[in-house]
Each structure stands twice: as structure tokens, then as C-alpha cells.
Amino acid sequence: MAANLTKPSGQTGKMKKDESLLGKLGGTLVRKKKIKEVSDLQEEGKNAINAPLLHAGPELLPEDTLLEENAERTILDPTSREDLNFKDLQKVLIDWINSELEEDRIIVKDLEEDLYDGQVLQKLFEKLSGHKLNVAEVTQSEIGQKQKLQTVLEAVNGVLRPLDWNTEWSVDSIHSKNLVSIVYLLLALAIYYAAPIRLPEHVSVKVIVVKKKEGILQTAHVTKQLTSTTTEMMIGRSERDAFDTLLDHAPGKLNVVKTSLITFVNTHLNKLNLEVTELESQFADGVYLVLLMGLLENYFVPLYNFYLTPESFEQKVHNVSFAFELMQDGGLQKPKARPEDVVNLNLKSTLRVLYNLFTNYKNSE
């Protein structure tokens, strides 16, 4: 009988022990669940505080949210990154850089990854400006890279300052691989130094501007215009002169000048049964300029020296550049206009070139 009472007592102790263990496990699971709920709630609250204005769109990277008070960062909208016009613009700029730096054996494939450290920008500016910058050739550290960028951008801004150029770049934006800032910088250099390229017109991108104010991240969507028309972009870097005054304030006198120049060039081109009626368009491919120089200097220009029927922008630039060389060979000063401007139908540039010929050859038969 005593034995029968002892067995149940052992089973009861084991059950209580098991229940106690399950209770502890259950309590632990409950506590972990509550801790996770609290953690999730805190994270949700943190997101609500830090980004109350953010909505579906580009994902913010950690560096985009670690902003100081009143600091802001610009993020390229993913839809703009895939925009075909923007991609075309990047390709044109990349091809131009590679062409300019071919002798340095520098090949750029990606604007963000290849230009952020200042090395390529240094070489490009030195090639375009003809001035050597006092910077270390190779810098691996972030401090060294930013110092190089600082020197390069100061030189670029110094060149552009007289034209009141709106600088859309900084050391930090370039070094942080901000593609929009890099493209703005390259466009400024290409336009100012009259790169022999045709920039796509009316290219714009959408960006998200993230700003921290009173500890809260605020965002705004902004459209950035990168390129306008070819004419407007050229005006941005042109110097004001007498032809600007004629174009802006004395259209009547401008027509008199154009008529005189048309009469002058036709006096000579008529010998080849050629006739000009539109100055800006008919001289844009350089053919008439080359032929005119041969007539004025009384020699035959070999056809293999220029393109008689140019098709590409580069071939037209070659023709105009060759005509400029012939002018200098004839004792004239190098034209102030750029060959690319003449090819781009810039009336003022074409007038400069033709007026220079008129003043030197107006008494030639």
C-alpha cells in the first residue's frame, strides 16, 4: 500500500517539474516576442520621425540619411538614370573625354566611378586649358583625392567666373560620385572649350533633394535641366563684342553688313558657278570657306585635303579648321571664332570669319 502511494507522488513531482520548465520556456518566448514587438515599434517610430515625407521612390542609402542639420544631398531618380537621352549625353561626354586623353592612355567607361577622385578631371582640364596644375599625380587617400579635386575645381571655376557660370558642383558632390554634378561640370568644360561634339539638346533629369531640418529628413522632387539648345549653350560662353551689339540693338545695320559680305563672297565664288544666299548655313560645312580661300589666294586646293561632301559633324569641323589654317598661311590672324561654332550655325561666329576676309581681301579681283 505504501508502495502504491509512493509512485504517484513521484509522477506528480515530475509533472510539476515539467510544467515549471514549460512555464519558463513559455515565459522566455513571450518576453522575446514582446521585446521584438517593442523593437519593431521603435524602428517604425524612428522611420516615421526621420523620413515623414518620404514616399515610394528611390531607396535612400545610409550615407543619404546621415546628414548634419540643414545639410542636403541630391539623389538621382532611378527613372532618370535609365532615360535614353541622359544615357546618350553620358556616352557623348565619355567619348569626348577618351578622345581628348587618348595620348595619356586614359580610358573612361563610367563617369561616376572614373572621375570622382579627380585624376581624370585633372588631366582633362590640363589638356583643354594648356596649363599644368600643381597637384600630386596619384593620390589614394580620401584626403589627397579631395585636395586634388579642390585644386582642379578652383582652376575650372576661375576660368568660368568671368562668365557668371552657375556652378552645380563641389568637391563633396564630385567625390561622393554625384552623377548630376559630374555631368554639369563636364558640360561646362565642353561648352567653354568648344568641344567638337554635338550635345543632345533639351536633356533634363529628375532628382530628389534630401535635407535635414530640426532632425527630420525632408525630401523634394526637382527637375534639373542639363542642356538647352545648341545656340543657347554657345551664348553662355561667348564674349560680348561689336557683333553682339549689332545682333541685339541694330538689326537694320546687321542686314547691311550681311548684304555686303554676301556680295563680297559671291564676287569670288561665282567664278566656280557657286552662289551664297544664306551666310550662316552655306558656310557651316566649311566647303565654301576652303574654296573661297583658294580663290582669294589664287591657288587650287587639292580635294584630298578636305571633305567636298561632308556628312558628319567631325568632317565639317575638319573643313572649317582647315580653312582657318589656310587663312593663317595667307598672313591673317587666327580667327577669334571657333570652328565648332561655325558648324553649329552660329551667325556671329560666321560673320566674324567672313568680315575678317572682307577687310583683308575687299580690293582683290
Side-chain angles (χ1 to χ4, degrees), residues 66-254:
L66 298 177
L67 296 176
E68 296 181 358
E69 185 67 17
N70 293 322
E72 68 177 39
R73 186 183 296 274
T74 301
I75 309 166
L76 179 63
D77 191 294
T79 58
S80 290
R81 186 177 288 276
E82 298 302 319
D83 181 79
L84 294 180
N85 290 329
F86 186 45
K87 285 188 172 182
D88 184 34
L89 175 60
Q90 292 178 70
K91 184 179 184 304
V92 170
L93 292 173
I94 289 174
D95 290 344
W96 168 58
I97 296 172
N98 289 335
S99 176
E100 290 289 344
L101 301 181
E102 184 177 5
E103 295 180 359
D104 294 300
R105 297 182 180 180
I106 292 176
I107 300 178
V108 171
K109 296 181 179 179
D110 185 281
L111 295 180
E112 292 168 289
E113 296 298 329
D114 296 339
L115 271 68
Y116 79 96
D117 61 359
Q119 181 74 17
V120 174
L121 288 174
Q122 171 208 340
K123 294 294 184 182
L124 180 62
F125 180 76
E126 289 178 342
K127 176 68 183 300
L128 295 173
S129 66
H131 298 295
K132 186 77 173 175
L133 297 178
N134 184 23
V135 292
E137 283 299 317
V138 180
T139 52
Q140 297 294 338
S141 68
E142 179 179 338
I143 294 177
Q145 292 171 353
K146 287 189 173 183
Q147 287 175 343
K148 173 175 284 191
L149 277 172
Q150 183 70 35
T151 301
V152 174
L153 294 187
E154 284 179 356
V156 172
N157 295 342
V159 169
L160 299 176
R161 191 170 294 112
L163 303 179
D164 293 326
W165 209 286
N166 184 26
T167 55
E168 295 275 356
W169 54 83
S170 66
V171 171
D172 288 335
S173 66
I174 299 295
H175 195 266
S176 64
K177 304 179 183 180
N178 185 309
L179 182 57
V180 176
S181 292
I182 293 172
V183 169
Y184 266 126
L185 176 59
L186 292 175
L187 285 172
L189 291 172
I191 293 171
Y192 182 81
Y193 287 105
I197 56 178
R198 182 174 290 277
L199 295 169
E201 298 184 340
H202 302 296
V203 178
S204 60
V205 293
K206 294 179 180 179
V207 299
I208 292 85
V209 180
V210 183
K211 184 175 182 178
K212 178 170 285 188
K213 188 174 182 180
E214 296 180 356
I216 299 176
L217 291 182
Q218 299 181 350
T219 63
H221 288 69
V222 179
T223 298
K224 293 279 189 178
Q225 183 179 13
L226 299 174
T227 65
S228 53
T229 65
T230 300
T231 301
E232 289 174 346
M233 287 187 284
M234 287 190 297
I235 290 174
R237 63 116 198 278
S238 300
E239 297 176 359
R240 303 292 296 177
D241 62 9
F243 284 108
D244 286 299
T245 303
L246 282 174
L247 288 167
D248 295 340
H249 305 295
K253 292 183 179 180
L254 176 62

Side-chain angles (χ1 to χ4, degrees), residues 255-268:
N255 289 331
V256 173
V257 173
K258 290 174 65 175
T259 300
S260 299
L261 292 177
I262 289 175
T263 301
F264 164 70
V265 298
N266 281 334
T267 298
H268 299 279

Side-chain angles (χ1 to χ4, degrees), residues 101 210 292 302 324 359:
L101 301 181
V210 183
L292 181 59
F324 283 10
T359 56

